[in-house]
Structure formats: structure tokens, C-alpha cells
Amino acid sequence: MQTVPLLIRLDDLSSPQVQALVAEHLAGMQGNTPAGHVHALAIDGLRAPEVTFWSAWFDGQLCGCGALKALSAVAGEVKSMRTRPAYLRKGVGQAVLDAIVQTGRERGYEKLYLETGTGQPFAAAHALYLRNGFAWCGPFGHYQATDFNVFMVMQLATGSSVA
């Protein structure tokens, strides 16, 4: 994997580039998952007080994003992970995930969860999460298991079980 020097920054989702990337993310999710089974957040959802959003930049170009949604005082959910096609396999997803995990640790979260799609379009994401210590789990929060989604959890704090 080739890596590029990235700037990962907190973002308020106000720039047209970031809004276009979120729209690209939603379109990608809707293109790979049947209607009614997409749980990606639109701009308004990403601006909610319980969500922290990051953008990733290389040489002034937006190349990716990700978010962390607070679920409780001890758990968060990884949301809106997206890398622009020109930057795939260059470390963008890893850098954004690193910022999310670091923030989760700083907040004292015990676990990070995520819900994502199934099948080949999501295989690279599954591999990234597994490489970083996420494990398969059952549904959490308001989610229900379907043929179109999977769930993962990462243990952050010691002393509590992964369930």
C-alpha cells in the first residue's frame, strides 16, 4: 500500500467539496444496497451534536472522510467512511480510522461499533476494519440484521467484554 502525506482535520461540512463527497458517499451506498437498507447519514445527520466529522486532504484536494457518532458515555459508532477513487489504497481510510479510534480512546469509550454493507463492494472496508482489530458482532442500537448489512465492534478499553 502506498501512503500519501495527509491532513486529517475536524470539519464542519460547510464546504462544497465536503458536501459533494458526502453526496458521493450516499450515492455509493444507495447504489450497492437496496432501498430501505442504507443507514448512511446525510449532511444534516452528520451535523448532529453527537457526531464528529473529519475530512482528509492531500495537496489541497479532498480525498476522504469519516465520522464518529457518540452512542453513550462508553461507546461510539464509526460512520461515513469514504475514500475518493483516485486515493484508494493510499492510506486514506487508515488515516481517518486512526483519527476516529484515537478520539474514541480520548473520550474513554470502551467500544467502537459499525454497521456496513455486504458483498464485494464492501470487501475492502471489511478488510480494513478486521486489520484494525474490529470483530464481527450482532446488531447494536436501533439496527436490525438483514441480508444487506453486517456489524463489527472494536474493544478499546480493557476489562469489558466484546458483545
Side-chain angles (χ1 to χ4, degrees):
M1 172 178 60
Q2 176 189 357
T3 59
V4 294
L6 296 169
L7 170 64
I8 308 297
R9 67 180 187 212
L10 289 173
D11 199 295
D12 66 4
L13 297 120
S14 63
S15 79
Q17 299 108 311
V18 170
Q19 291 177 9
L21 180 58
V22 171
E24 180 182 312
H25 177 63
L26 288 170
M29 297 300 97
Q30 292 163 349
N32 290 307
T33 305
H37 295 278
V38 175
H39 300 288
L41 297 175
I43 295 289
D44 288 345
L46 291 169
R47 285 186 172 144
E50 67 273 14
V51 177
T52 305
F53 182 85
W54 290 266
S55 56
W57 300 80
F58 171 69
D59 198 25
Q61 298 297 309
L62 178 62
C63 52
C65 65
L68 176 60
K69 180 179 180 181
L71 298 178
S72 70
V74 295
E77 178 182 2
V78 176
K79 297 292 290 181
S80 301
M81 291 285 293
R82 185 70 171 189
T83 299
R84 286 241 153 105
Y87 298 95
L88 290 172
R89 289 171 291 291
K90 295 185 178 179
V92 175
Q94 184 64 62
V96 173
L97 185 59
D98 288 347
I100 292 170
V101 170
Q102 177 182 339
T103 299
R105 290 184 194 285
E106 290 169 357
R107 291 179 180 175
Y109 289 170
E110 296 174 4
K111 297 177 186 179
L112 290 180
Y113 291 93
L114 65 89
E115 178 272 347
T116 192
T118 59
Q120 185 56 37
F122 298 94
H126 298 166
L128 171 70
Y129 298 131
L130 289 168
R131 224 177 18 252
N132 280 275
F134 280 84
W136 304 108
C137 69
F140 62 92
H142 68 279
Y143 294 110
Q144 294 183 3
T146 71
D147 291 340
F148 309 106
N149 63 358
V150 293
F151 307 93
M152 301 179 93
V153 63
M154 177 188 214
Q155 189 72 37
L156 295 179
T158 57
S160 59
S161 64
V162 175

